[in-house]
Structures are given as C-alpha cells and as structure tokens.
Amino acid sequence: ELLPPGYNHLLCVKEDEFRAHLKVQLSTKEEVEKWLEEFQNSSTLTWRKARTYPESARYNVYRVDLRCQHKTYSSGKNSRNTNCPATLFLVLKRSMEDRRSRSTDRHMAEGYLLYVNWRNEHNHSLAGADALRKRDVSAITIERLTELFEKGHSPSSALDTIKYDLQEEEGEDYFYAAADRAVCPDLQFCYRLYYKIFQKSYGAPSGEKMVVDLRERLARYNEEHGCVCAQIEQTIDGQQVVAICTPVMQRVHTRVQQSGEMVFVDSSGNCNRKTHRLLLFVTPSAAGGLPLGVLITTSESAATLTAGIALLKRLLPPAAFFGRGDHGPQAFMTGDCSALRQALATVYPGASLMLCTFHLLQAMWRWLWNSHNGIKEEERPQLLNGFRGLVYARTAEELSAAYATLCADPLASKHKNFMKSLLEVYGRRQEWALCLRGNNTNNYVESAVRIVKDKVLHRLKSHNLTQLVDFITTRFEAYYIRRLTDYANNRLINLSAPKCDDVDCQKIVQEDEVNFLVPSASAGGWYHVNTGLSCCTCPVGRTGAPCKHQSAVVQTFGVSETPPLTSTPPLRKLFYEIASGGTAPDDWFVPVEPKSVLDDQRSRGEDAVHTSAGPRTESLEKELDGILGILKKKLQEDTTFLAPLQSFVDNFKKMKSDSAVQSALFSFGKTSCVPTRVHATPRGVLQTNTEVGVQPTAVCLGGRRALGADRPPKSSRRDHPYTKGERAKAEPHSLSHCVQENTSQGKTH
DNA sequence: GACTGAATCCGCCACCGCCA
DNA sequence: TGGCGGTGGCGGATTCAGTC
C-alpha cells in the first residue's frame, strides 16, 4: 500500500513486518529519483541522504543511502531529531547490455535493476498532523505556487487559492490534506519561494548586472510597442533614473484636457528593498486621477530629479499636456519638497508651481512640535490656528488682514524664528493661498501612490528596480485599463452625483443660460454655479469636484450641459478609446432610456398620462378629492386616525423639494414598517441584513466573530492587576485632533 | 548555503463614540 | 439614525538566529 502505483515491484525478502528487500523495474538514475519522489508521496515518508557513492562504480549506476528525516546530526531546541533508525538503501545495477555479468540473479535480465533495502522501523508517529506538517513541499505544489505568482498572486493569496482548491478536491478529507505540508505548504514557505522565483526572473538585486538586465528589458518593451515608452539614464553624479510613459499614459496626455491644466506630482519611497524613489505624475479626470508618467530615481537630489524629469519630457508625445508639448501644463501641484519644485521649475519654466495645503499645514504643525524651535506646548495650537486662517482666507483682502493679525499677535511676535518662518512661507502665498488659486490638495496623486502600493505591488516590496519597472509597465498599466473600461461601461460605483436634499431648490436663481445662484445649505450665503464650466464657488466645487449645488441645478433645471465630472456617453467613449487605443461603436454608450413617446406605439396609449394634462388629469383630481374626503371623515369619526394623519402632515411639511414629494408618493403604501436592521430575530424568520449570514454554530464554536478578533469594546478592556499606572495613551492620527488636543501626530505609515 | 521557527514590524478592518 | 474619524487587535510581511 505504501509503494507508488504504476511500477513493477518485486518483493524478494521479507525479514519481518518492518524489513524488506525489493526490486523495481527501473534502469536510469532519473527514473530512480522520480520513483523516490512518488514513493515519498504515496508513503508520506520523507527521506534525507545519509551517504552517496561515486556514479562511476564498476557494478552500480547509482547508489544512495537514505535516512528518515527524524534522524539528524544534532539535537537542538527546535530539532526534529528522534534518532529514528529507519533507513532506505537504493542501488541501481548496471544493465546487462553494458557488461558481462556472472550474476545468477535472473531478475536482472528481466530489467529489475533497482535494489531496495528498506528498514521501515520508525520510532515516531507517521500519520498524525504533527508528522505530516514536517514533510517537504511536493514538486507539484511548488509548480502550482509558481503559476499563481506569475498570475499576480501574493504569497498569502496564492496559499489561500491552494487551500481553496484543496478543499474543493478533497471534500470531507480536507481536514487531513490541510495538515500535509507536501500539498498544503506553510505561509513562510510561500514567501521564500516567492522571493526565490523573482530573484531568478529579475536577476541581481542591484549593481551593474541589474542595470544591464534592465536596459535589455526596456529595449524589448520599447520594441514591442513600436515607440520609446521607457528609458534609463545615468546622471552626472552617478545616479540611475528611469522614466516611463506607457501607451495609456501617452493617450491620457493627448486626449484628456485636464492634463494641460493641472498635473499633480508626488513621490513615494519604500517600494523596494533599495532606496529608490517613485515619482508619479497624475492629472484629474472624471474617472479619478489618471497617470501621465512615472519616474524612478536612486536619489532625491534636485540634480537627479531634474535629469529624470528632462528624460521623461523627451519620452512624451509631441502633443503632450493636451497639445501644450514642451511648455508643460499650466500648473504643477506638489508637496513642500524643494528639490522636486526646483527640478520642475528648471524643466518646465512656464508652468506655475502650487503647494498642497494639507502638506503645508502638516509641515507647519511638525515645525511647531520640533523642540529645536522652542515653541511651548500650549502655544502651538494658537499659532497653527492663526496660520490656518491664512491658508483658508476667502479673499486676498482677508488674507492680508489675517497675516497682519497674526504678525500683531504678541505670542507670534515673541518667537522670532516663527516670524521668520512665517515671512518666508507668506512670501510664497501665490503657491498655497486658496483665495489666489483654485485647487487645494493633491489627493489624486496620493490615491495613485496607494494604487501602486496596493494593486501593483500587493503591499510587498519589489525585489529590485527591474521588477519595479516591470510592474509599472504591466500591472500599473493594466489597472488603469480596467478602471477606464469600468468607467466606459458605467461600472464605477462611486461616481454618482452628490445628494442635494438639503439645498432649497425653490430659491435657485437663474442668471443666464449657464450661470445660477444657489443658496447655501448650511451657511447663510449664496454660491455661484456655472454649468458650462462645471464649477461652483463653494469649498467643494471650487476644487473642480461635483458638489450638491451643481446637482441641485441639474435636478431643478435639467440643464443640457451635464457637468463633465459625471458619466456622459461622449466621455465614456473617450475613456474607452484611451484604455483600448481603438474605437468603439457609438451605440454602445447610449444610455438605457424609454424610447420617444412618438415612436413607441404602446407608450402612446399607456404613458400619455405622464406627458399630457388631458381628461385623465381631471379624473385624477376628482379621485384625489375623494380620497381626501375619506381621510377627513376617518379623522372625525375614528380617533385612531389622529396620530397617523398628524405624522403624515408633519412628514409632508419636512419635504423640501418636489422630487422628495414625488418619491414619497410613488412609494406610498409599498414599503414595510419592519425596520431594515433586525438585531434579535429568532431563527427561521427572514432576516434583512447586509452582512453575509453564518450558521449560529459558527458564532458559538469558532470563526472570526466568535474569536472576537476585532477591536473589543472599551468596556471589556481590563488591564492586568499588576499593571503599574495607567494604560499608555495611543497617539492620534488626525491633524485636526492633534491641534485640538495639542499633541504630536502619531505615525501613519 | 539552504532551510526553518521565532520575533518583530506595520497596515487593515470593524467597532466605538461623537455629531448632525 | 446615519455618517465619519479614531482606535487597537490581528494577521500579513519581513528579519534574525539557529539548524541541517
């Protein structure tokens, strides 16, 4: 039962239950090695080499003495040594054709050349979970893991897939299969294999050889695409820079209008084991931030970044930045990194440079918390709030006044270094003051950085520069093709227009064809909406994002100029063309709407009530009068109707728009009074919950819920009785909270 | 040098609690 | 009641030291 099937075995001597001499019909060393592997699989035994013999022996082709894996040379704390006496001696005899043999063994002539001397006397358990988890991972499992890695799986997701497949194949026997390391490896093995494979595929981790490998890879990539999409260059100071502008990025340059207006740039490190920096160039669009170029450098110095950006500039298509070409975009927005800003100014002198307000405020808070600057703890929030007033000033006059107030503040003027720092920052106000410019944050590029780390690198550090470049040209590109395809097919779920329920639509004033005055929902003022430009003067709309005031105008007036930051057929077609590089039939993007009432015979008969105010309206009015009469009569005769009708009147008064009334009328009498979130529903009753239900036993016996793996309620937290003092307070991550509580900012990365 | 188990770091996720 | 930011345990990712 222990021997592998498919071979001819001959049992020559069986000394007792545990000792035997076998012969197997094999003739080459390779066949013997394969037999041994299959024997280890069929017997669940693992053998190690105890002694080998020279191959050129006179009588033997191959000979090896094997020992059980539980017989090791040393016995440490973690050793698996049990001093197991089991052995397996293999001897492959030379074939009769090669020599003249005087042997009387008649089996040799029949081809039984492998002699097996098996002493199966193990002094440990052979079948338990602990025995099986010590086995070697089988070659088939390694092959399967390798395939999964090549398809983009991370070590953990590959292992999950293996386990899932095993569960499907083994059914009830999965419990036993899962214990066997040969078919179900441990996570650490997966990690080691992952890095070993990529070391092989992507060559040396660094040095000259890596650069040579990378140059060859880039040359092949450019050849495949028929144009120069990526290049590597060595700077004067010996640094490496790699610039990438993939075909999709080139199409974003030439087809997306915003690429000529605003480009966000941010850098990120920690993407691989070396100190490479990754710079992303991103433009905003209706489908979120879209990449315009990627730069990978080995240094953050201004000289290296300048060389890198200049290299990227040479790769860009002639109509880059929506036709502006070498002039670059109208503006770049960056964090407060002087080297990057200096490099951008050198390569694109015509583009204005803006600062992200979030990074600016964060930098100021860190400056205030730097003990070298001598700002007392209680003084920090006041100084930051004064500075925040400058950043968020609504007009140039307000900005000047806020600056004057802060300068006159005795606390600020007390600190000379603060005043010096403030003066320096105020001198660059054109770069950051919201009243002097439009956009206030580079969240688009932050999002793109996250995509690289999450979707491209799967939160793993890349093996080397070659792999990082390979991932950018394959996975990163593929991610944006998928995203744009989803947008083109109207499959992005988070692009719906903002809700405008709290905007008083009745008060909206139309100034001309595209200009509207919309009342503020919270503050008492008015905002100006331009539907042609898709802009609003509110804090959200000012950034170019869709806001509730634009939604209110679209809903109330149904203007034809739909804001570009929503999904329209031409825009979807454009993004399809950027993603694919081809063209799609126009009717693919036509929205699903009822056909014209004039065209549709059936609509003429049935839907006329919705479009004309004919005799049907008169009869409806009569029916409404009748219903109101019935309700009034019920109110007078039956006191139980008093509360429900009062509720109806109250709810009606709360409705602020026609659409809300229409929606309520459509759903009148159709909805159930049963609350949607039922917390204690008995078994057998239909539950309405958004969570995937589990068996009650899953909660009782195990699983994540039962383990309480999530954050426990504060009430349940108990420190050990021997704990001295109070629990250490965690540092908060929110900047606003830090300012409010006057604490330093906790680590977020 | 290859492999393994243990230790350690760090980001995700789901509940808490506040606010509108 | 829903939304949203804060928080901390858990587990994935990585490193280290010992074993084979």
mmCIF file with all atom_site columns, all heavy atoms in Angstrom, chain A residues 587-601:
data_model
loop_
_atom_site.group_PDB
_atom_site.id
_atom_site.type_symbol
_atom_site.label_atom_id
_atom_site.label_alt_id
_atom_site.label_comp_id
_atom_site.label_asym_id
_atom_site.label_entity_id
_atom_site.label_seq_id
_atom_site.pdbx_PDB_ins_code
_atom_site.Cartn_x
_atom_site.Cartn_y
_atom_site.Cartn_z
_atom_site.occupancy
_atom_site.B_iso_or_equiv
_atom_site.pdbx_formal_charge
_atom_site.auth_seq_id
_atom_site.auth_comp_id
_atom_site.auth_asym_id
_atom_site.auth_atom_id
_atom_site.pdbx_PDB_model_num
ATOM 1   N N   . ASP A 1 587 ? -23.223 53.438 -30.538 1.00 0.00 ? 587 ASP A N   1
ATOM 2   C CA  . ASP A 1 587 ? -24.441 53.000 -29.841 1.00 0.00 ? 587 ASP A CA  1
ATOM 3   C C   . ASP A 1 587 ? -24.139 52.162 -28.593 1.00 0.00 ? 587 ASP A C   1
ATOM 4   O O   . ASP A 1 587 ? -25.027 51.870 -27.816 1.00 0.00 ? 587 ASP A O   1
ATOM 5   C CB  . ASP A 1 587 ? -25.360 52.218 -30.800 1.00 0.00 ? 587 ASP A CB  1
ATOM 6   C CG  . ASP A 1 587 ? -24.647 51.014 -31.394 1.00 0.00 ? 587 ASP A CG  1
ATOM 7   O OD1 . ASP A 1 587 ? -23.434 50.877 -31.134 1.00 0.00 ? 587 ASP A OD1 1
ATOM 8   O OD2 . ASP A 1 587 ? -25.297 50.237 -32.123 1.00 0.00 ? 587 ASP A OD2 1
ATOM 9   N N   . TRP A 1 588 ? -22.866 51.804 -28.401 1.00 0.00 ? 588 TRP A N   1
ATOM 10  C CA  . TRP A 1 588 ? -22.501 51.040 -27.206 1.00 0.00 ? 588 TRP A CA  1
ATOM 11  C C   . TRP A 1 588 ? -22.706 51.863 -25.934 1.00 0.00 ? 588 TRP A C   1
ATOM 12  O O   . TRP A 1 588 ? -22.965 51.355 -24.865 1.00 0.00 ? 588 TRP A O   1
ATOM 13  C CB  . TRP A 1 588 ? -21.037 50.603 -27.316 1.00 0.00 ? 588 TRP A CB  1
ATOM 14  C CG  . TRP A 1 588 ? -20.558 49.778 -26.154 1.00 0.00 ? 588 TRP A CG  1
ATOM 15  C CD1 . TRP A 1 588 ? -19.785 50.176 -25.108 1.00 0.00 ? 588 TRP A CD1 1
ATOM 16  C CD2 . TRP A 1 588 ? -20.849 48.396 -25.913 1.00 0.00 ? 588 TRP A CD2 1
ATOM 17  N NE1 . TRP A 1 588 ? -19.553 49.155 -24.241 1.00 0.00 ? 588 TRP A NE1 1
ATOM 18  C CE2 . TRP A 1 588 ? -20.205 48.035 -24.702 1.00 0.00 ? 588 TRP A CE2 1
ATOM 19  C CE3 . TRP A 1 588 ? -21.601 47.430 -26.584 1.00 0.00 ? 588 TRP A CE3 1
ATOM 20  C CZ2 . TRP A 1 588 ? -20.270 46.759 -24.158 1.00 0.00 ? 588 TRP A CZ2 1
ATOM 21  C CZ3 . TRP A 1 588 ? -21.655 46.152 -26.036 1.00 0.00 ? 588 TRP A CZ3 1
ATOM 22  C CH2 . TRP A 1 588 ? -21.003 45.830 -24.854 1.00 0.00 ? 588 TRP A CH2 1
ATOM 23  N N   . PHE A 1 589 ? -22.587 53.190 -26.062 1.00 0.00 ? 589 PHE A N   1
ATOM 24  C CA  . PHE A 1 589 ? -22.633 54.060 -24.881 1.00 0.00 ? 589 PHE A CA  1
ATOM 25  C C   . PHE A 1 589 ? -23.981 54.745 -24.702 1.00 0.00 ? 589 PHE A C   1
ATOM 26  O O   . PHE A 1 589 ? -24.127 55.593 -23.832 1.00 0.00 ? 589 PHE A O   1
ATOM 27  C CB  . PHE A 1 589 ? -21.517 55.109 -24.964 1.00 0.00 ? 589 PHE A CB  1
ATOM 28  C CG  . PHE A 1 589 ? -20.157 54.484 -25.086 1.00 0.00 ? 589 PHE A CG  1
ATOM 29  C CD1 . PHE A 1 589 ? -19.491 54.455 -26.294 1.00 0.00 ? 589 PHE A CD1 1
ATOM 30  C CD2 . PHE A 1 589 ? -19.565 53.887 -23.992 1.00 0.00 ? 589 PHE A CD2 1
ATOM 31  C CE1 . PHE A 1 589 ? -18.249 53.868 -26.408 1.00 0.00 ? 589 PHE A CE1 1
ATOM 32  C CE2 . PHE A 1 589 ? -18.315 53.293 -24.097 1.00 0.00 ? 589 PHE A CE2 1
ATOM 33  C CZ  . PHE A 1 589 ? -17.656 53.279 -25.311 1.00 0.00 ? 589 PHE A CZ  1
ATOM 34  N N   . VAL A 1 590 ? -24.959 54.394 -25.553 1.00 0.00 ? 590 VAL A N   1
ATOM 35  C CA  . VAL A 1 590 ? -26.274 55.034 -25.441 1.00 0.00 ? 590 VAL A CA  1
ATOM 36  C C   . VAL A 1 590 ? -26.941 54.555 -24.157 1.00 0.00 ? 590 VAL A C   1
ATOM 37  O O   . VAL A 1 590 ? -27.003 53.352 -23.897 1.00 0.00 ? 590 VAL A O   1
ATOM 38  C CB  . VAL A 1 590 ? -27.160 54.681 -26.661 1.00 0.00 ? 590 VAL A CB  1
ATOM 39  C CG1 . VAL A 1 590 ? -28.565 55.203 -26.468 1.00 0.00 ? 590 VAL A CG1 1
ATOM 40  C CG2 . VAL A 1 590 ? -26.535 55.254 -27.915 1.00 0.00 ? 590 VAL A CG2 1
ATOM 41  N N   . PRO A 1 591 ? -27.388 55.495 -23.293 1.00 0.00 ? 591 PRO A N   1
ATOM 42  C CA  . PRO A 1 591 ? -27.988 55.080 -22.030 1.00 0.00 ? 591 PRO A CA  1
ATOM 43  C C   . PRO A 1 591 ? -29.328 54.367 -22.243 1.00 0.00 ? 591 PRO A C   1
ATOM 44  O O   . PRO A 1 591 ? -29.986 54.575 -23.260 1.00 0.00 ? 591 PRO A O   1
ATOM 45  C CB  . PRO A 1 591 ? -28.188 56.392 -21.268 1.00 0.00 ? 591 PRO A CB  1
ATOM 46  C CG  . PRO A 1 591 ? -28.157 57.444 -22.299 1.00 0.00 ? 591 PRO A CG  1
ATOM 47  C CD  . PRO A 1 591 ? -27.340 56.938 -23.446 1.00 0.00 ? 591 PRO A CD  1
ATOM 48  N N   . VAL A 1 592 ? -29.708 53.532 -21.276 1.00 0.00 ? 592 VAL A N   1
ATOM 49  C CA  . VAL A 1 592 ? -30.986 52.815 -21.346 1.00 0.00 ? 592 VAL A CA  1
ATOM 50  C C   . VAL A 1 592 ? -32.077 53.771 -20.917 1.00 0.00 ? 592 VAL A C   1
ATOM 51  O O   . VAL A 1 592 ? -32.217 54.092 -19.745 1.00 0.00 ? 592 VAL A O   1
ATOM 52  C CB  . VAL A 1 592 ? -30.960 51.583 -20.407 1.00 0.00 ? 592 VAL A CB  1
ATOM 53  C CG1 . VAL A 1 592 ? -32.280 50.843 -20.481 1.00 0.00 ? 592 VAL A CG1 1
ATOM 54  C CG2 . VAL A 1 592 ? -29.810 50.684 -20.771 1.00 0.00 ? 592 VAL A CG2 1
ATOM 55  N N   . GLU A 1 593 ? -32.853 54.290 -21.892 1.00 0.00 ? 593 GLU A N   1
ATOM 56  C CA  . GLU A 1 593 ? -33.954 55.212 -21.596 1.00 0.00 ? 593 GLU A CA  1
ATOM 57  C C   . GLU A 1 593 ? -35.153 54.777 -22.398 1.00 0.00 ? 593 GLU A C   1
ATOM 58  O O   . GLU A 1 593 ? -35.006 54.160 -23.460 1.00 0.00 ? 593 GLU A O   1
ATOM 59  C CB  . GLU A 1 593 ? -33.571 56.637 -22.005 1.00 0.00 ? 593 GLU A CB  1
ATOM 60  C CG  . GLU A 1 593 ? -32.634 57.288 -21.003 1.00 0.00 ? 593 GLU A CG  1
ATOM 61  C CD  . GLU A 1 593 ? -32.133 58.621 -21.516 1.00 0.00 ? 593 GLU A CD  1
ATOM 62  O OE1 . GLU A 1 593 ? -32.386 58.941 -22.692 1.00 0.00 ? 593 GLU A OE1 1
ATOM 63  O OE2 . GLU A 1 593 ? -31.495 59.330 -20.744 1.00 0.00 ? 593 GLU A OE2 1
ATOM 64  N N   . PRO A 1 594 ? -36.349 55.081 -21.926 1.00 0.00 ? 594 PRO A N   1
ATOM 65  C CA  . PRO A 1 594 ? -37.528 54.725 -22.723 1.00 0.00 ? 594 PRO A CA  1
ATOM 66  C C   . PRO A 1 594 ? -37.504 55.459 -24.059 1.00 0.00 ? 594 PRO A C   1
ATOM 67  O O   . PRO A 1 594 ? -37.062 56.610 -24.134 1.00 0.00 ? 594 PRO A O   1
ATOM 68  C CB  . PRO A 1 594 ? -38.698 55.188 -21.857 1.00 0.00 ? 594 PRO A CB  1
ATOM 69  C CG  . PRO A 1 594 ? -38.119 56.014 -20.786 1.00 0.00 ? 594 PRO A CG  1
ATOM 70  C CD  . PRO A 1 594 ? -36.680 55.735 -20.676 1.00 0.00 ? 594 PRO A CD  1
ATOM 71  N N   . LYS A 1 595 ? -37.920 54.776 -25.124 1.00 0.00 ? 595 LYS A N   1
ATOM 72  C CA  . LYS A 1 595 ? -37.921 55.409 -26.434 1.00 0.00 ? 595 LYS A CA  1
ATOM 73  C C   . LYS A 1 595 ? -38.944 56.537 -26.464 1.00 0.00 ? 595 LYS A C   1
ATOM 74  O O   . LYS A 1 595 ? -39.855 56.596 -25.639 1.00 0.00 ? 595 LYS A O   1
ATOM 75  C CB  . LYS A 1 595 ? -38.264 54.363 -27.499 1.00 0.00 ? 595 LYS A CB  1
ATOM 76  C CG  . LYS A 1 595 ? -37.117 53.398 -27.725 1.00 0.00 ? 595 LYS A CG  1
ATOM 77  C CD  . LYS A 1 595 ? -37.494 52.417 -28.788 1.00 0.00 ? 595 LYS A CD  1
ATOM 78  C CE  . LYS A 1 595 ? -36.351 51.459 -29.041 1.00 0.00 ? 595 LYS A CE  1
ATOM 79  N NZ  . LYS A 1 595 ? -36.703 50.430 -29.999 1.00 0.00 ? 595 LYS A NZ  1
ATOM 80  N N   . SER A 1 596 ? -38.797 57.435 -27.429 1.00 0.00 ? 596 SER A N   1
ATOM 81  C CA  . SER A 1 596 ? -39.686 58.587 -27.538 1.00 0.00 ? 596 SER A CA  1
ATOM 82  C C   . SER A 1 596 ? -41.140 58.145 -27.595 1.00 0.00 ? 596 SER A C   1
ATOM 83  O O   . SER A 1 596 ? -41.482 57.161 -28.232 1.00 0.00 ? 596 SER A O   1
ATOM 84  C CB  . SER A 1 596 ? -39.337 59.361 -28.809 1.00 0.00 ? 596 SER A CB  1
ATOM 85  O OG  . SER A 1 596 ? -40.373 60.226 -29.117 1.00 0.00 ? 596 SER A OG  1
ATOM 86  N N   . VAL A 1 597 ? -41.972 58.901 -26.895 1.00 0.00 ? 597 VAL A N   1
ATOM 87  C CA  . VAL A 1 597 ? -43.393 58.542 -26.858 1.00 0.00 ? 597 VAL A CA  1
ATOM 88  C C   . VAL A 1 597 ? -44.011 58.596 -28.254 1.00 0.00 ? 597 VAL A C   1
ATOM 89  O O   . VAL A 1 597 ? -44.989 57.918 -28.535 1.00 0.00 ? 597 VAL A O   1
ATOM 90  C CB  . VAL A 1 597 ? -44.190 59.473 -25.912 1.00 0.00 ? 597 VAL A CB  1
ATOM 91  C CG1 . VAL A 1 597 ? -43.881 59.165 -24.477 1.00 0.00 ? 597 VAL A CG1 1
ATOM 92  C CG2 . VAL A 1 597 ? -43.911 60.921 -26.233 1.00 0.00 ? 597 VAL A CG2 1
ATOM 93  N N   . LEU A 1 598 ? -43.429 59.402 -29.154 1.00 0.00 ? 598 LEU A N   1
ATOM 94  C CA  . LEU A 1 598 ? -43.981 59.493 -30.504 1.00 0.00 ? 598 LEU A CA  1
ATOM 95  C C   . LEU A 1 598 ? -43.657 58.240 -31.292 1.00 0.00 ? 598 LEU A C   1
ATOM 96  O O   . LEU A 1 598 ? -44.407 57.803 -32.145 1.00 0.00 ? 598 LEU A O   1
ATOM 97  C CB  . LEU A 1 598 ? -43.403 60.719 -31.215 1.00 0.00 ? 598 LEU A CB  1
ATOM 98  C CG  . LEU A 1 598 ? -43.819 62.047 -30.613 1.00 0.00 ? 598 LEU A CG  1
ATOM 99  C CD1 . LEU A 1 598 ? -43.037 63.178 -31.271 1.00 0.00 ? 598 LEU A CD1 1
ATOM 100 C CD2 . LEU A 1 598 ? -45.315 62.266 -30.766 1.00 0.00 ? 598 LEU A CD2 1
ATOM 101 N N   . ASP A 1 599 ? -42.447 57.619 -30.966 1.00 0.00 ? 599 ASP A N   1
ATOM 102 C CA  . ASP A 1 599 ? -42.032 56.446 -31.714 1.00 0.00 ? 599 ASP A CA  1
ATOM 103 C C   . ASP A 1 599 ? -42.711 55.189 -31.229 1.00 0.00 ? 599 ASP A C   1
ATOM 104 O O   . ASP A 1 599 ? -42.953 54.262 -31.977 1.00 0.00 ? 599 ASP A O   1
ATOM 105 C CB  . ASP A 1 599 ? -40.510 56.253 -31.582 1.00 0.00 ? 599 ASP A CB  1
ATOM 106 C CG  . ASP A 1 599 ? -39.786 57.429 -32.180 1.00 0.00 ? 599 ASP A CG  1
ATOM 107 O OD1 . ASP A 1 599 ? -40.412 58.128 -33.000 1.00 0.00 ? 599 ASP A OD1 1
ATOM 108 O OD2 . ASP A 1 599 ? -38.628 57.672 -31.808 1.00 0.00 ? 599 ASP A OD2 1
ATOM 109 N N   . ASP A 1 600 ? -42.997 55.150 -29.963 1.00 0.00 ? 600 ASP A N   1
ATOM 110 C CA  . ASP A 1 600 ? -43.452 53.899 -29.378 1.00 0.00 ? 600 ASP A CA  1
ATOM 111 C C   . ASP A 1 600 ? -44.983 53.847 -29.330 1.00 0.00 ? 600 ASP A C   1
ATOM 112 O O   . ASP A 1 600 ? -45.639 54.615 -28.643 1.00 0.00 ? 600 ASP A O   1
ATOM 113 C CB  . ASP A 1 600 ? -42.883 53.781 -27.962 1.00 0.00 ? 600 ASP A CB  1
ATOM 114 C CG  . ASP A 1 600 ? -43.068 52.374 -27.446 1.00 0.00 ? 600 ASP A CG  1
ATOM 115 O OD1 . ASP A 1 600 ? -44.116 51.780 -27.669 1.00 0.00 ? 600 ASP A OD1 1
ATOM 116 O OD2 . ASP A 1 600 ? -42.124 51.892 -26.823 1.00 0.00 ? 600 ASP A OD2 1
ATOM 117 N N   . GLN A 1 601 ? -45.514 52.879 -30.064 1.00 0.00 ? 601 GLN A N   1
ATOM 118 C CA  . GLN A 1 601 ? -46.971 52.776 -30.171 1.00 0.00 ? 601 GLN A CA  1
ATOM 119 C C   . GLN A 1 601 ? -47.611 52.567 -28.804 1.00 0.00 ? 601 GLN A C   1
ATOM 120 O O   . GLN A 1 601 ? -48.599 53.190 -28.458 1.00 0.00 ? 601 GLN A O   1
ATOM 121 C CB  . GLN A 1 601 ? -47.305 51.586 -31.089 1.00 0.00 ? 601 GLN A CB  1
ATOM 122 C CG  . GLN A 1 601 ? -48.760 51.432 -31.456 1.00 0.00 ? 601 GLN A CG  1
ATOM 123 C CD  . GLN A 1 601 ? -49.255 52.588 -32.290 1.00 0.00 ? 601 GLN A CD  1
ATOM 124 O OE1 . GLN A 1 601 ? -48.524 53.148 -33.094 1.00 0.00 ? 601 GLN A OE1 1
ATOM 125 N NE2 . GLN A 1 601 ? -50.497 52.995 -32.071 1.00 0.00 ? 601 GLN A NE2 1
#
